[in-house]
Amino acid sequence: MSDSLQLRKPRKEDGMAVHRLIANCPPLDTNSAYCNLLQCSHFADTSVVAEMEGEVVGFISGYRVPEAPTTLFIWQVAVGEKARGHGLAGRMLAAICDREGNGDLNAMQTTVTPDNEASWALFEGFARRRGATLERTVMFDREAHFQGSHDSEMLATIGPLR
Ligand SMILES: CC(C)(COP(=O)(O)OP(=O)(O)OC[C@H]1O[C@@H](n2cnc3c(N)ncnc32)[C@H](O)[C@@H]1OP(=O)(O)O)[C@@H](O)C(=O)NCCC(=O)NCCS
C-alpha cells in the first residue's frame, strides 16, 4: 500500500467522492448524496476516509448507538477494488476506535448479510486482534423487516473493545 495513504476524519468536501466510491462497491446499498454528506459532517468523529494520492479509496461510516453511546455502530465499509486485500478495511476500523475522543467505546456492532464472506472475515479478524468475542443474532429479517426484498442482516456484536 502506497506511502501516501492517509486515514483521517471525513469532511463535507469528501461527500461526493464517498457517494461514488459506494456506488462502485456492490453489494453495498447506495444512499443519497445528502446522506453521505451527513455522514461526512455530523458523523465524522465515528467515520473514516482513506485517501491515496488525492483519491478517496476507502470509507467507513459509523455512529454511536443513540441508546448506548459507548457502542460504535458501523454502518458501511467500502474499499475500492484497487485498494483491496491489503488490510485497509481492518486498519480503518482500528483508526476510528483508536482515535482521540473515542477511548470510551467499549463495543462495536454492525450488520452483515450471511453470504458476505469478506465482511465476516473483516469483523472476525478485528475481534480476534482485539481479543474480543463476536456474537451473531438477526437484526433485520428478510421476511419480517424487508418484506422479502433484501437478505437478512445479521447483527454482529464485538466486545469488549479493549
Ligand atoms: C469487505 C471489504 C470492505 C474488505 O476490504 P479490504 O481492505 O480488502 O479488507 P482487509 O484487507 O482488511 O481484509 C479483511 C479480511 O477479509 C478477508 N477478505 C478480503 N476479501 C475477501 C473475499 N473476497 N473473500 C473472503 N475473505 C476476504 C481478508 O483475508 C481478511 O481476513 P484475515 O484478517 O482473516 O486475513 C471490501 O472487499 C469491500 O469494500 N467490499 C464491497 C463492499 C462490502 O461488502 N462491504 C462490507 C459490508 S459493510
Side-chain angles (χ1 to χ4, degrees):
M1 193 63 67
S2 158
D3 288 347
S4 78
L5 181 77
Q6 194 199 353
L7 301 187
R8 58 167 175 79
K9 281 188 198 182
R11 39 184 183 254
K12 283 182 264 186
E13 289 70 21
D14 297 315
M16 292 312 294
V18 163
H19 191 67
R20 284 190 295 273
L21 174 71
I22 289 171
N24 287 327
C25 285
L28 293 183
D29 292 329
T30 52
N31 289 295
S32 64
Y34 185 80
C35 172
N36 295 130
L37 283 165
L38 288 178
Q39 291 170 334
C40 290
S41 44
H42 287 163
F43 299 109
D45 287 348
T46 47
S47 301
V48 65
V49 152
E51 190 177 55
M52 206 160 55
E53 285 150 19
E55 189 187 344
V56 172
V57 295
F59 178 69
I60 294 182
S61 48
Y63 58 85
R64 289 171 181 265
V65 175
E67 60 270 28
T70 56
T71 296
L72 171 68
F73 189 87
I74 298 296
W75 184 345
Q76 284 189 316
V77 183
V79 172
E81 247 172 88
K82 284 186 295 190
R84 288 184 193 165
H86 300 282
L88 178 56
R91 283 174 62 190
M92 291 197 295
L93 287 176
I96 298 174
C97 294
D98 298 338
R99 180 181 287 164
E100 205 181 328
N102 285 342
D104 61 327
L105 291 173
N106 58 25
M108 177 186 287
Q109 290 189 322
T110 193
T111 70
V112 182
T113 52
D115 62 350
N116 193 335
E117 287 176 26
S119 195
W120 283 113
L122 167 65
F123 288 102
E124 280 162 1
F126 180 81
R128 198 172 54 241
R129 289 190 294 277
R130 298 265 157 166
T133 59
L134 186 157
E135 285 177 14
R136 301 180 191 212
T137 53
V138 175
M139 183 158 177
F140 300 123
D141 177 72
R142 181 187 180 90
E143 300 307 326
H145 305 122
F146 285 116
Q147 299 183 348
S149 68
H150 189 292
D151 278 347
S152 292
E153 289 279 354
M154 305 296 294
L155 178 69
T157 300
I158 298 169
L161 280 189
R162 59 194 80 230

